[in-house]
Amino acid sequence: MSKLIQHERPLLILPELAAEIGLNEAIILQQIHYWIDKKKHVIEGKSWVYNTYEDWQKQFPFWSVTTISRTLKSLEKQGLILTGNFNIMTFDKTKWYTIQYDAIGQFDRTNEPERPDDAATLDSPIPEKNKQKTSTADSSLSERAKFEQSLGKEKVTEAISIAKAKGITAWAYVRKILCNWENDRQRTKKPVRQEKLPGWFKKQETMDMPDMDFEKDREALRRELAARFEQKVDNMDGTDAV
């Protein structure tokens, strides 16, 4: 018997799931479940696993990097996995993955799948080349409760109705709708900037207004000077007559 058949570690394939989401997707999804079931990286109440496409290929040497990338994106598009970036270094773009078990429930109405015994035969965990931010504290509120707190229960119900109308039952799709609404709400909350008029503008406005008292005083002075001038002229005429 060939050593490859005898010693090569097996991959677990669930026919029912593969028929629903695709063969490649079912294989990778089961592998992601195997690693996050170890709960090595628990963040915001969810267990995550991280890896580059090249490192994934070490576990699936029969696939190209392009095939692995396309399959992971398909899982994300179907709402079966979530991706994130919890790397310490900002330039590190290695993706993190977790499974949306609620979304899988549309194919199998059981609870979260238990780890099959076959998965225990896999070798060492995914290589870890850097230290990640980890937290074992579970979130006090579920994602749905958080959205209900920020947007209101009616909005959450409306988002679920929109998803159901399109035949989508995955929470990831509902979550995307609610996130967009939250972003729109934040943009509308930004205060309108009000420009303040400079101090000299008010002074100029005051200077442009006519001073009625000044006009009266000027007119009185003009009349007084005219009267004095006429009196002086009269006096000069009287002197010339003598």
Side-chain angles (χ1 to χ4, degrees), residues 234-242:
D234 292 342
N235 290 338
M236 290 177 63
D237 291 342
T239 304
D240 293 341
V242 175

Side-chain angles (χ1 to χ4, degrees), residues 5-195:
I5 296 178
Q6 186 175 6
H7 298 289
E8 185 75 5
R9 56 182 184 176
L11 289 172
L12 184 64
I13 301 175
L14 302 180
E16 183 179 354
L17 184 61
E20 294 288 347
I21 68 174
L23 177 60
N24 293 357
E25 286 80 357
I27 294 173
I28 290 185
L29 190 67
Q30 182 60 49
Q31 188 74 344
I32 293 175
H33 168 69
Y34 169 76
W35 292 119
I36 66 176
D37 191 48
K38 292 180 177 292
K39 301 187 186 304
K40 291 177 63 65
H41 306 292
V42 179
I43 302 173
E44 298 177 354
K46 292 181 180 293
S47 181
W48 298 76
V49 62
Y50 67 94
N51 225 357
T52 63
Y53 295 140
E54 288 76 13
D55 286 334
W56 279 121
Q57 192 184 33
K58 294 176 182 178
Q59 299 183 57
F60 306 110
F62 45 85
W63 283 335
S64 66
V65 170
T66 302
T67 298
I68 293 172
S69 172
R70 183 173 60 249
T71 304
L72 287 168
K73 289 177 181 177
S74 172
L75 288 170
E76 187 175 3
K77 185 176 181 180
Q78 293 184 64
L80 301 176
I81 64 172
L82 288 178
T83 61
N85 186 336
F86 304 102
N87 302 300
I88 295 177
M89 307 303 292
T90 56
F91 60 81
D92 188 351
K93 302 303 181 183
T94 303
K95 275 190 174 183
W96 293 56
Y97 305 88
T98 190
I99 295 177
Q100 291 283 73
Y101 289 105
D102 291 342
I104 300 176
Q106 63 183 308
F107 308 121
D108 181 1
R109 298 303 176 182
T110 60
N111 294 327
E112 286 189 2
E114 296 180 356
R115 185 177 68 184
D117 294 337
D118 292 342
T121 61
L122 295 178
D123 293 335
S124 59
I126 298 173
E128 300 182 28
K129 298 180 180 179
N130 59 350
K131 296 180 179 180
Q132 274 67 36
K133 304 174 184 177
T134 58
S135 172
T136 56
D138 291 338
S139 176
S140 59
L141 294 174
S142 65
E143 279 189 331
R144 175 167 180 166
K146 289 180 180 179
F147 283 120
E148 288 179 348
Q149 191 176 50
S150 61
L151 295 173
K153 292 184 178 181
E154 292 182 357
K155 280 293 185 182
V156 175
T157 303
E158 182 182 350
I160 294 174
S161 299
I162 293 174
K164 286 183 177 179
K166 295 184 178 181
I168 301 173
T169 59
W171 169 252
Y173 186 81
V174 178
R175 181 176 179 271
K176 183 65 175 177
I177 295 174
L178 295 171
C179 285
N180 290 337
W181 287 351
E182 274 195 339
N183 292 335
D184 292 341
R185 183 182 176 188
Q186 291 298 326
R187 282 194 291 267
T188 56
K189 277 187 174 182
K190 290 183 178 180
V192 179
R193 182 178 177 181
Q194 296 181 349
E195 297 289 345

